[in-house]
Amino acid sequence: MNRLWRRLTPRTIRGQILLIIVLAILAVVLAGRALEDEYGLEGLLAVGDVDGAVEPALAIASLLPGSTPSERELIVARARETQRDIELVSVAEANRLVATSPPLSRSERIAAFFFPPDYRLPAGGRRVAIEGRPALYIPVSEDVVLIVRGLPDTFYSDDLFGPLAYYILSFVTLLLFLSFFAVRSVTAPLARISAELNRSDGVSQGTVFAEKGSDEVISLARALNGMRTRIRELVDTRTRMLRSVSHDLRTPLTRLRLRTERLDDAGQREMMIADIDHINALVNETLDYLRTDASGEEAERTDIASLMQTIQANFADVGFPVTYGGPDRLIAACKPNALNRAVTNLCDNALKFGGGAAITLAAEGAMIRIDVADEGPGIPKAQRVRVLEPYFKLDASRSAGKNPGFGLGLSIVTDIVRAHGGRLEFHDNHPRGLIARILLPAL
């Protein structure tokens, strides 16, 4: 059945919208006919029948011009038996009644403008207001006028509510159909694609967008899958190339270090070994960045407090002034190895530029906050976005006098935090220094 329905329905959003409109029109016609047959307009809506009130009066008015005054009185008297609000008055009296009557309400005038009456009055006849209610002014002779009162207000009559009922029914039906279509065929697929992009880095092997729905949604998912594949190929090519280069560099560096250690000049030997160690550090930094980019680590329930305490203990064991403040236990979903690397990188930076690091862990509503604070020179506010870019290095005091790397440390942290669905922020540490803050969703 589902396969037959998919084959019969249009595949494009344009075609589906046209089908929705056609179905809505059919539903309105069938529903309106069913309501009229079941209840009738009078039963469905408690409104006045303008035509039913006016047509007898017009029939009476057509008999009066050719009648004698006595016959007119007799005709009007008989007419009052079925239609009470009808009378013959002089032109002067009729004009006085119209002149002294308050005007029709604004809603009545608006309804009469948009939905004019269906009946046609004789020559000289007009629709007037007497005592603030709709009435008919029909000339009978030069000095006599037929006044018909008690007409239903146009605003509460079938002349308005008949079309209005269909307009409302049409609007509500079309709104329901289009809402169902929008949720099922447009909003839900786009939300699914957006959620998939937010859930992952967009290029991992396991990230595949379901190619189902309308032709436009399928085309979008297919284009995103193609882009993901092309990006994945570029990342893999870059990774293989740099790993190969790094491997090829390490072999001659190892030989160079062995030869350098045999030099007799101690001063020259130390300087050359320091340069070799710096090159090795750059190679390791590049490989760390590549490992983070290609990481396929899955999130798991982890005691983040224990993870932070382990990081603090590892630094403290080798004599670095790193402290921890926070709860003894905080369970949440994360990628433990990647988060360990991110916080360790922040601690390395804090030790390098501030001489110490203070790790603080706290749960704040739906987020988990990890602060790594130092008392170093900090990062200028104008540069706090750019330092997250790969290969960007500050030339300020945080890098002065050091052996700078490629500028990948904070990029690695950013990628890890983003893979967790969180964000990395920088704040001033008072009275001096910087706070690197990781905010993760408390899943």
Side-chain angles (χ1 to χ4, degrees):
M1 187 65 182
N2 290 337
R3 183 178 300 175
L4 178 61
W5 172 254
R6 287 195 296 268
R7 294 178 65 180
L8 293 178
T9 54
R11 300 300 303 162
T12 64
I13 292 179
R14 180 188 302 175
Q16 291 173 2
I17 292 177
L18 291 176
L19 177 62
I20 288 294
I21 294 175
V22 171
L23 292 176
I25 293 173
L26 291 176
V28 168
V29 171
L30 295 176
R33 180 65 59 85
L35 290 173
E36 286 185 352
D37 291 344
E38 181 69 20
Y39 302 102
L41 185 61
E42 295 79 5
L44 182 62
L45 298 170
V47 296
D49 183 2
V50 174
D51 293 337
V54 172
E55 287 177 0
L58 295 180
I60 295 169
S62 65
L63 299 174
L64 297 178
S67 305
T68 63
S70 59
E71 290 174 338
R72 292 172 185 168
E73 293 294 338
L74 180 61
I75 292 172
V76 171
R78 291 292 180 87
R80 286 198 186 99
E81 296 177 1
T82 57
Q83 188 164 352
R84 297 179 181 179
D85 295 328
I86 186 171
E87 62 180 329
L88 286 172
V89 297
S90 65
V91 172
E93 177 64 15
N95 291 336
R96 186 191 67 79
L97 290 173
V98 173
T100 58
S101 173
L104 297 175
S105 64
R106 181 177 298 177
S107 60
E108 169 70 15
R109 295 197 301 271
I110 293 174
F113 176 80
F114 285 104
F115 301 94
D118 296 333
Y119 53 84
R120 180 172 297 180
L121 296 175
R126 65 184 188 272
R127 193 170 181 270
V128 296
I130 296 179
E131 298 177 357
R133 297 293 302 273
L136 295 183
Y137 179 105
I138 304 175
V140 175
S141 63
E142 293 182 357
D143 56 350
V144 177
V145 173
L146 179 67
I147 297 295
V148 182
R149 307 189 193 193
L151 298 183
D153 290 339
T154 303
F155 189 77
Y156 299 103
S157 69
D158 55 358
D159 284 342
L160 173 62
F161 276 91
L164 186 61
Y166 273 103
Y167 293 161
I168 294 175
L169 182 61
S170 302
F171 176 78
V172 171
T173 303
L174 188 59
L175 181 64
L176 290 176
F177 279 39
L178 287 177
S179 298
F180 176 77
F181 163 76
V183 170
R184 185 177 183 276
S185 301
V186 180
T187 307
L190 293 180
R192 185 177 65 248
I193 291 174
S194 177
E196 184 62 28
L197 285 173
N198 291 330
R199 184 189 66 81
S200 65
D201 58 8
V203 297
S204 298
Q205 295 290 352
T207 304
V208 178
F209 302 103
E211 297 179 5
K212 60 182 181 180
S214 64
D215 286 350
E216 291 82 358
V217 174
I218 291 175
S219 178
L220 174 63
R222 190 170 295 153
L224 289 173
N225 284 330
M227 180 179 67
R228 179 196 65 81
T229 301
R230 291 191 296 272
I231 294 175
R232 183 71 261 165
E233 291 174 352
L234 289 174
V235 170
D236 289 342
T237 301
R238 185 194 65 174
T239 302
R240 287 193 299 269
M241 179 190 70
L242 291 178
R243 281 179 175 173
S244 177
V245 170
S246 299
H247 179 270
D248 291 343
L249 281 174
R250 281 182 167 179
T251 301
L253 282 174
T254 301
R255 292 198 301 265
L256 184 59
R257 183 184 182 91
L258 292 173
R259 293 171 182 172
T260 302
E261 289 175 348
R262 296 191 183 99
L263 291 177
D264 296 331
D265 190 336
Q268 196 71 12
R269 181 174 65 248
E270 293 301 326
M271 287 190 296
M272 293 182 66
I273 289 177
D275 288 340
I276 294 171
D277 289 339
H278 181 212
I279 295 174
N280 264 323
L282 294 177
V283 172
N284 291 332
E285 184 181 5
T286 302
L287 290 177
D288 284 341
Y289 179 69
L290 294 176
R291 278 199 304 272
T292 301
D293 181 67
S295 173
E297 184 182 4
E298 294 293 334
E300 58 185 69
R301 301 289 291 177
T302 305
D303 186 354
I304 297 181
S306 176
L307 185 64
M308 297 300 107
Q309 294 173 39
T310 300
I311 295 173
Q312 183 271 332
N314 289 338
F315 279 103
D317 287 345
V318 291
F320 290 113
V322 177
T323 62
Y324 169 76
D328 294 330
R329 182 178 176 83
L330 181 56
I331 306 297
C334 71
K335 301 178 179 181
N337 293 330
L339 186 59
N340 187 331
R341 186 180 303 135
V343 177
T344 298
N345 281 3
L346 293 179
C347 290
D348 283 336
N349 285 345
L351 292 170
K352 185 185 300 182
F353 303 115
I359 304 173
T360 304
L361 175 67
E364 297 182 347
M367 303 297 290
I368 293 175
R369 174 172 58 85
I370 303 173
D371 287 350
V372 177
D374 64 55
E375 297 181 356
I379 299 176
K381 291 184 178 180
Q383 302 289 346
R384 290 180 181 178
V385 175
R386 296 204 62 193
V387 294
L388 303 179
E389 300 174 2
Y391 307 108
F392 177 80
K393 295 182 290 185
L394 282 173
D395 294 329
S397 58
R398 283 183 73 93
S399 298
K402 308 293 180 181
N403 287 328
F406 282 140
L408 296 175
L410 290 177
S411 298
I412 293 173
V413 177
T414 303
D415 290 343
I416 292 173
V417 173
R418 189 178 297 143
H420 282 80
R423 63 182 185 272
L424 175 65
E425 300 176 349
F426 294 110
H427 300 273
D428 292 328
N429 188 23
H430 299 289
R432 184 174 184 271
L434 181 76
I435 298 176
R437 176 168 295 167
I438 296 176
L439 294 172
L440 304 178
L443 300 177

